[in-house]
Amino acid sequence: MKTIVEAKQITKLYGTKGTVFPALQQIDLTVAEGEFVGIMGPSGSGKSTLLNVLATIDQPTSGDIVIDGIDILGMNEDQLSAFRRDKLGFIFQDYNLLDTLTVKENIVLPLALANMNVDELERRVDEIADRFGIRPILDKYPYQISGGQKQRTAASRAIVSKPSLILADEPTGALDSKSATDLLESLKDLNERERATILIVTHDAFAASYCKRVVFIKDGTLFTELIKGDQPRKAFFKKVLDVLSVLGGGSSDVI
């Protein structure tokens, strides 16, 4: 099976000599193509730092990161920009949509930047609009749609370029329960039907229960992991809650 993410001995230090804070300590993480992986842990555990390092938003102090066969730590800023555009899809809690563009224009922005031909661009928009149920709002602007619709728009933009890796940072954090469930079901469907590789950071055990594997981080180190296997989502949800209780809290206060 093809490996999409291979991170070895990732360490991230903040501060100066004498007041150094280790956000990550020798983290090893491998994600295979077609996996749906969640990262969880208490506040300050390092999970968001890990996501930012894998997303090329931040650089580790030491270690090696290879994504889709490419050593991302050996690239300059121009190369990183092209890599993010071509290989990564991002879903953020605050949507990061451009208010001056319609829903459709927000979705196609990555394709326009990559100079994709119009026919292929339109075909992909049609496909994604149906998948995420947003066809009726394609001509609306972000300020005219709900939070759930904004997040589905952001998810559509993240996958429209068919990236090697989709990274999501608290994707359900600002959503009501129905909108969150709709988004998670869409991501699950994307993962199962198209073998999309998805990595999400979440504080929510319900969101984590949709993943095939959940990695738990504590104090910048790997604590444990759970593999869903063939068990029902509700049973997996309970196991996630059990680990969170050991880490120091339930799904509402473990972030």
Side-chain angles (χ1 to χ4, degrees):
M1 185 177 294
K2 182 179 179 182
T3 298
I4 297 296
V5 177
E6 188 168 11
K8 293 182 178 179
Q9 297 292 287
I10 301 302
T11 295
K12 179 64 180 181
L13 306 176
Y14 289 108
T16 56
K17 191 174 182 180
T19 56
V20 173
F21 168 71
L24 297 173
Q25 302 182 67
Q26 298 180 322
I27 293 278
D28 290 333
L29 178 66
T30 300
V31 179
E33 184 177 33
E35 277 204 282
F36 189 171
V37 179
I39 300 176
M40 303 190 80
S43 179
S45 62
K47 62 187 182 299
S48 291
T49 301
L50 178 59
L51 187 78
N52 287 339
V53 165
L54 296 175
T56 74
I57 294 170
D58 199 358
Q59 278 211 331
T61 304
S62 61
D64 298 297
I65 302 174
V66 175
I67 297 179
D68 201 15
I70 300 172
D71 178 4
I72 65 171
L73 301 183
M75 294 189 282
N76 60 37
E77 193 53 49
D78 288 342
Q79 291 170 325
L80 281 173
S81 294
F83 177 82
R84 292 185 196 109
R85 182 193 69 213
D86 298 337
K87 296 290 186 178
L88 304 180
F90 298 96
I91 306 174
F92 298 104
Q93 182 176 341
D94 58 0
Y95 318 127
N96 280 14
L97 301 176
L98 298 176
D99 287 334
T100 56
L101 299 181
T102 65
V103 166
K104 180 178 180 178
E105 289 167 342
N106 268 283
I107 293 171
V108 302
L109 187 59
L111 304 183
L113 293 173
N115 296 315
M116 179 172 287
N117 74 70
V118 175
D119 288 343
E120 176 63 12
L121 187 149
E122 292 289 344
R123 188 190 68 77
R124 291 203 189 182
V125 170
D126 283 342
E127 181 182 300
I128 283 176
D130 290 334
R131 177 184 295 280
F132 282 94
I134 56 172
R135 186 175 293 281
I137 64 168
L138 286 177
D139 293 327
K140 293 187 176 183
Y141 291 86
Y143 64 86
Q144 297 175 309
I145 62 178
S146 70
Q149 290 170 327
K150 288 178 182 177
Q151 193 59 294
R152 290 202 297 276
T153 299
S156 298
R157 181 187 56 193
I159 70 170
V160 72
S161 61
K162 299 187 177 179
S164 300
L165 177 65
I166 298 167
L167 298 155
D169 186 7
E170 302 285 5
T172 61
L175 302 180
D176 60 65
S177 59
K178 182 183 183 306
S179 296
T181 300
D182 288 346
L183 177 66
L184 291 165
E185 288 287 351
S186 295
L187 291 176
K188 177 174 174 282
D189 181 65
L190 180 71
N191 170 255
E192 291 178 350
R193 289 195 184 189
E194 298 189 18
R195 290 182 51 77
T197 307
I198 305 172
L199 184 64
I200 70 169
V201 162
T202 182
H203 71 280
D204 183 8
F206 177 73
S209 70
Y210 278 82
C211 299
K212 293 178 177 177
R213 176 164 62 109
V214 180
V215 175
F216 297 86
I217 296 179
K218 182 179 182 181
D219 299 328
T221 62
L222 292 180
F223 179 72
T224 190
E225 72 172 25
L226 292 176
I227 298 173
K228 186 176 184 179
D230 295 328
Q231 63 187 304
R233 188 186 61 76
K234 287 185 178 180
F236 192 53
F237 170 72
K238 185 180 183 304
K239 288 188 176 181
V240 171
L241 285 177
D242 289 343
V243 175
L244 291 178
S245 69
V246 172
L247 280 173
S251 63
S252 61
D253 61 356
V254 174
I255 58 175

